[in-house]
Amino acid sequence: MNAATAQHQSVDWKRLVFLLTGLALFTVVYFSPAWPDAVDPMGEHFVLSREGKGALAVFLLAGTWWVFEVVPIGITSLMIGILQAAFLIRPAKVAFKDFMDPSVMFIFASLVIGAVFTKTGLTKRLAYKMLDIVGERTSMIYLGSFVVCGLLTHIMAHTAVAATLYPLLVAIYGLYSDDPNKPSKFGKGLFMGMAFVAGAGSIVTLLGAARGAVALGFYKDIMGKEISFFELSYYMAPIGWLMIFLLWGFFMITCKPERKTIPGLRQKARELNAGLGPLSRNEILAAVIVGVAIVAMSLRSFIPALNAIDKTAIILSSTVLFYVLRILDLKDLEEVPWNIVLLFAGAMSIGFCLWETGAAKWLAVNWLAMFKDAHWFLFVMSIAFFVMVMTNFIMNVAAIAISLPVALVIAPYLGVSGEVILFASLVTAGMPFLLLVGAAPNAIAYNSRQFTSGEFFMLGIPASIILMIVVGLAVFVVWPLMGMPTTLPTGG
């Protein structure tokens, strides 16, 4: 009797409620009657097919399960593929093929780089050197970590930056806490802040993420105007760095470290660094391999011959070399956090599902059509908001691609320039602060076990509000002062 009572008390009712909520949302949406067409300002109708409605149903279930972690986040991803196949939303071959999309393999390779830096000891060297510079105040450790992260995203993909910095932050946190696996406010701010800042820094140049180059090419096709590498950085740098410093302040308030200082940290870091001795063969090899991979990926934007080679092939070459040169072994491969890899595999699958079934386009047209008679500023902000929400669920490039064509059709009627729409969209596309699946740095930071996906979501809400305020400031004040046309000369 007592055993039965204990078993009954051990039921996690909160988990059960949200598990059933996700299933209920899927059932209600999937089996509901056909929904009305979306109609754009030109009168074109966009039908939401049965498959499109099914995609929205899977989208709602996955979002609910991811936020409340009713099962491991990688298992929720498996459910995304299962539902698509079982309910004939997309063929199984298509749904599960997305699980091995090049973007997923890029994340896998980034995680392997992080493992190499940790195993060889390079991470500790970098961590001790950084702590020697920033000192013993935890607020400065926050700031130093965020500034390094922001700077690195200007020259390399933010996923690779997160994978490189993650083990460094683990080493720093190990000096802060006696139990590195025990969550703390400092740990939460350090790792979650790294993820947020990686997004903020990645908007500044075309090297931080693929979304910038794709969006500029897309914009050129629609508007017939070309925006250069340096023009993008000119307008984005003030916004990206403003967000980095605002995020520092944000985490100093929301995740204020338990300790203001770590006495003796600088001296301890120097002693530990001296104890590492000279660079080992594996450290040198790892640094050279990663360095060459980063340079090759960065040069793709400038050298046409390299641009033809996908960045995933370049970064995966580093993975192969680590094993060829015996820097890593089979045990290291088995320790890759497959939960994170599966998380992104599922995110790619649901993103493509919403895109290919037309569900994402239907959502975009319905949303933007509501603002076709609004003030130009409200219209621009509505696009930025839509991209911000969608980029938490689907690929940021796709979020821009589904909203830009509709927005650029409506824009002339409201006297809005195409540039301000493009740049506002790119800012919010780079900073998905709500869900772990929004960007790879989010998932990499989650691997620290310093926060839950629910905590990430709750802190992401005020961070996203700050982001929208900054976008509003950029659109209405900063960019016009810098010379960006926000409205057309002819008016409305």
Side-chain angles (χ1 to χ4, degrees):
M1 185 72 177
N2 288 340
T5 305
Q7 188 178 4
H8 177 72
Q9 289 175 342
S10 69
V11 174
D12 187 342
W13 290 106
K14 181 182 174 184
R15 172 180 175 273
L16 187 61
V17 165
F18 287 116
L19 190 147
L20 294 174
T21 299
L23 290 170
L25 286 169
F26 173 84
T27 305
V28 168
V29 172
Y30 184 81
F31 291 104
S32 63
W35 292 6
D37 297 354
V39 185
D40 73 10
M42 305 298 288
E44 185 179 350
H45 284 246
F46 295 85
V47 179
L48 183 65
S49 64
R50 181 193 66 80
E51 292 81 7
K53 193 152 60 68
L56 292 176
V58 176
F59 177 63
L60 290 170
L61 179 142
T64 305
W65 283 18
W66 271 328
V67 169
F68 298 102
E69 278 189 274
V70 298
V71 292
I73 51 180
I75 301 304
T76 296
S77 292
L78 294 178
M79 194 67 173
I80 288 169
I82 292 166
L83 290 173
Q84 289 180 64
F87 289 87
L88 309 180
I89 297 166
R90 286 198 305 166
K93 187 175 182 181
V94 177
F96 286 108
K97 186 179 72 174
D98 294 337
F99 275 61
M100 292 300 282
D101 184 83
S103 298
V104 178
M105 298 310 295
F106 188 94
I107 289 158
F108 163 75
S110 299
L111 292 169
V112 172
I113 287 174
V116 163
F117 271 53
T118 302
K119 184 174 182 178
T120 59
L122 272 172
T123 292
K124 289 182 178 178
R125 285 187 194 276
L126 292 168
Y128 299 155
K129 187 60 68 177
M130 179 179 154
L131 291 172
D132 188 13
I133 295 168
V134 300
E136 299 174 353
R137 289 171 58 195
T138 48
S139 60
M140 289 298 102
I141 295 172
Y142 265 172
L143 182 60
S145 302
F146 295 173
V147 167
V148 168
C149 182
L151 287 170
L152 285 175
T153 58
H154 296 355
I155 57 169
M156 57 193 277
H158 69 331
T159 302
V161 171
T164 303
L165 285 183
Y166 172 78
L168 184 147
L169 299 184
V170 170
I172 290 173
Y173 188 66
L175 295 173
Y176 175 86
S177 173
D178 295 331
D179 183 2
N181 294 318
K182 184 181 179 183
S184 70
K185 286 184 178 179
F186 179 69
K188 188 186 298 184
L190 194 64
F191 288 96
M192 205 182 295
M194 177 272 288
F196 284 17
V197 167
S202 73
I203 70 170
V204 175
T205 74
L206 289 175
L207 306 178
R211 81 182 87 87
V214 172
L216 293 194
F218 192 69
Y219 180 76
K220 183 183 176 184
D221 290 342
I222 296 173
M223 301 296 288
K225 295 179 184 176
E226 189 157 356
I227 291 171
S228 70
F229 182 99
F230 297 104
E231 187 180 353
L232 176 118
S233 296
Y234 171 71
Y235 288 122
M236 288 299 209
I239 310 308
W241 279 99
L242 175 60
M243 277 303 299
I244 288 171
F245 287 109
L246 285 175
L247 287 168
W248 173 52
F250 173 76
F251 282 105
M252 279 303 299
I253 294 168
T254 58
C255 298
K256 188 176 181 180
E258 293 84 353
R259 297 152 66 183
K260 283 189 176 181
T261 62
I262 310 174
L265 179 67
R266 178 173 274 155
Q267 185 58 37
K268 187 177 180 182
R270 286 174 180 169
E271 290 170 2
L272 289 168
N273 189 47
L276 290 173
L279 283 166
S280 67
R281 166 193 171 272
N282 282 355
E283 283 179 291
I284 295 168
L285 281 174
V288 169
I289 291 167
V290 173
V292 170
I294 289 168
V295 169
M297 287 188 290
S298 300
L299 290 176
R300 288 174 69 249
S301 298
F302 305 101
I303 302 173
L306 275 177
N307 194 38
I309 305 171
D310 189 89
K311 68 181 186 299
T312 304
I314 295 171
I315 198 168
L316 277 174
S317 299
S318 69
T319 302
V320 174
L321 284 171
F322 294 144
Y323 286 93
V324 168
L325 297 171
R326 295 188 174 178
I327 301 171
L328 295 179
D329 54 32
L330 180 60
K331 186 181 177 184
D332 299 308
L333 183 62
E334 291 170 348
E335 289 177 359
V336 169
W338 292 104
N339 190 37
I340 304 302
V341 177
L342 278 175
L343 167 69
F344 259 83
M348 295 304 295
S349 186
I350 187 60
F352 281 120
C353 184
L354 287 163
W355 171 269
E356 291 172 6
T357 60
K361 186 79 171 179
W362 182 87
L363 283 172
V365 173
N366 266 324
W367 173 256
L368 294 178
M370 291 193 294
F371 297 90
K372 63 183 178 183
D373 298 319
H375 184 271
W376 73 266
F377 177 74
L378 185 61
F379 174 68
V380 174
M381 292 302 290
S382 76
I383 297 161
F385 180 78
F386 179 81
V387 172
M388 182 188 75
V389 172
M390 290 303 291
T391 201
N392 276 282
F393 285 95
I394 66 175
M395 297 166 296
N396 42 46
V397 172
I400 291 171
I402 60 176
S403 55
L404 266 186
V406 185
L408 293 173
V409 166
I410 304 173
Y413 297 100
L414 300 175
V416 182
S417 77
E419 284 93 332
V420 73
I421 290 172
L422 172 71
F423 281 97
S425 299
L426 276 174
V427 170
T428 53
M431 291 180 250
F433 297 154
L434 299 171
L435 295 180
L436 297 176
V437 295
N442 299 358
I444 291 169
Y446 173 80
N447 201 39
S448 67
R449 300 194 182 111
Q450 287 294 319
F451 57 89
T452 65
S453 58
E455 288 174 326
F456 189 90
F457 180 78
M458 292 309 295
L459 273 181
I461 293 172
S464 296
I465 292 170
I466 292 169
L467 171 61
M468 289 305 297
I469 292 170
V470 168
V471 172
L473 187 70
V475 170
F476 211 68
V477 180
V478 179
W479 287 336
L481 287 174
M482 294 176 74
M484 182 191 293
T486 52
T487 53
L488 299 174
T490 52

